[in-house]
């Protein structure tokens, strides 16, 4: 599976222009990459890749405009889904990062993105940004064992992808890597049914988003932060029926299941869909 095929070429050309880090580059503790989850016992395991910028030994953190990293996985674990995180999917005034790309490999996956090539929308210092999330299968019944947790690395990719945070002032900063996976309390925010695009309103863009989620182009990975929001008829699957249900709603035909388009809530239906990165929910 691939998303924005070829974007990595542009991304790394841009990185080279700014100055990529050398092999011996020291870690900069103003930038920390970590992995968090809401349930370590879940199978498959859902993880969020998070960037934290903070003051460090070199002083205050700089604003950043992109990053890249690799994730190494132990066999037989495999990636079922890989998408933009909450921050990266809304950083441009509610729109996704300007350029981004994922690549899957037998040994793991790579993530790279530029928030905005024009520099109008960047990540401010002292921020916490959820840049990507993944659903990982252990390859066997039960939770993913701790020795198979995803690990940040620079040994995945063709070419190999650097651990790099792009500073607005120019150049890459090698982030500190937080060890292990941190389990967080489940998010208290929910979603609004039908807001598949995640911009806080229901319109024809959401219908297109539903169709792209149900029928992604070959080799593409849809930007889908909240699958429950796209499941308009709440039947536990994403298909053309959801697009029809949303179209009916826009024209005033029967209401959609709770939480409705005017409400913010959670999905009480037991299914395989979830809303790990709910956005724009009042």
């Amino acid at each position: 599976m691939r998303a924005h095929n070829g974007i990595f070429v542009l991304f790394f050309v841009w990185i080279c222009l700014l100055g990529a880090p050398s092999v011996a580059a020291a870690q900069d503790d103003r930038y920390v990459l970590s992995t968090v989850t809401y349930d370590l016992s879940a199978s498959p395991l859902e993880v969020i890749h998070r960037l934290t910028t903070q003051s460090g030994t070199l002083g205050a953190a700089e604003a950043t405009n992109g990053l890249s990293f690799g994730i190494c996985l132990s066999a037989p674990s495999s990636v079922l889904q890989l998408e933009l995180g909450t921050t990266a999917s809304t950083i441009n005034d509610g729109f996704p990062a300007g350029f981004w790309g994922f690549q899957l490999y037998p040994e793991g996956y790579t993530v790279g993105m530029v928030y905005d090539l024009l520099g109008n929308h960047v990540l401010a210092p002292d921020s916490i940004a959820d840049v990507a999330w993944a659903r990982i299968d252990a390859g066997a019944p039960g939770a993913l064992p701790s020795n198979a947790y995803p690990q940040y690395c620079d040994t995945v990719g063709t070419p190999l992808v650097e651990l790099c945070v792009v500073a607005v002032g120019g150049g890459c900063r090698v982030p500190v890597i937080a060890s292990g996976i941190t389990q967080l309390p489940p998010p208290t925010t929910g979603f609004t049914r039908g807001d598949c695009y995640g911009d806080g309103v229901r319109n024809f863009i959401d219908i297109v988003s539903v169709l792209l989620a149900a029928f992604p182009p070959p080799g593409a990975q849809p930007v889908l932060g909240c699958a429950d929001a796209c499941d308009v008829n709440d039947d536990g699957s994403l298909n053309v029926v959801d697009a029809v249900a949303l179209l009916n709603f826009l024209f005033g035909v029967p209401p959609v299941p709770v939480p409705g388009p005017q409400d913010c809530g959670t999905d009480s239906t037991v299914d395989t869909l979830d809303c790990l990165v709910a956005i724009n929910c009042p």
Side-chain angles (χ1 to χ4, degrees), residues 3-4 6 24 34 39 45 74-75 141 159 167 171 173-174 200 210 219-220 224 236 245 257 259 266 270:
H4 286 218
S34 60
D39 187 359
L45 178 66
S74 301
R173 307 293 182 256
V174 180
V210 168
L224 186 61
T266 58
V270 178

Side-chain angles (χ1 to χ4, degrees), residues 240-262:
V240 70
V241 177
D242 295 299
V244 173
L246 183 54
L247 181 64
N248 287 338
F249 165 77
L250 294 178
F251 282 96
V253 184
V256 300
V258 295
Q262 310 305 326

Side-chain angles (χ1 to χ4, degrees), residues 183-263:
Q183 180 165 309
L184 302 177
T188 56
T189 57
F191 65 96
T192 52
R193 186 80 63 182
D195 186 17
C196 188
Y197 188 73
D199 60 356
V201 296
R202 265 65 54 200
N203 52 36
F204 285 98
I205 294 177
D206 295 295
I207 294 177
V208 174
S209 298
V210 168
L211 292 173
L212 288 175
F215 308 103
Q221 187 73 22
V223 180
L224 186 61
C226 184
D228 277 322
C230 303
D231 183 17
V232 183
N233 67 343
D234 197 21
D235 65 352
S237 62
L238 301 179
N239 49 46
V240 70
V241 177
D242 295 299
V244 173
L246 183 54
L247 181 64
N248 287 338
F249 165 77
L250 294 178
F251 282 96
V253 184
V256 300
V258 295
Q262 310 305 326
D263 303 311

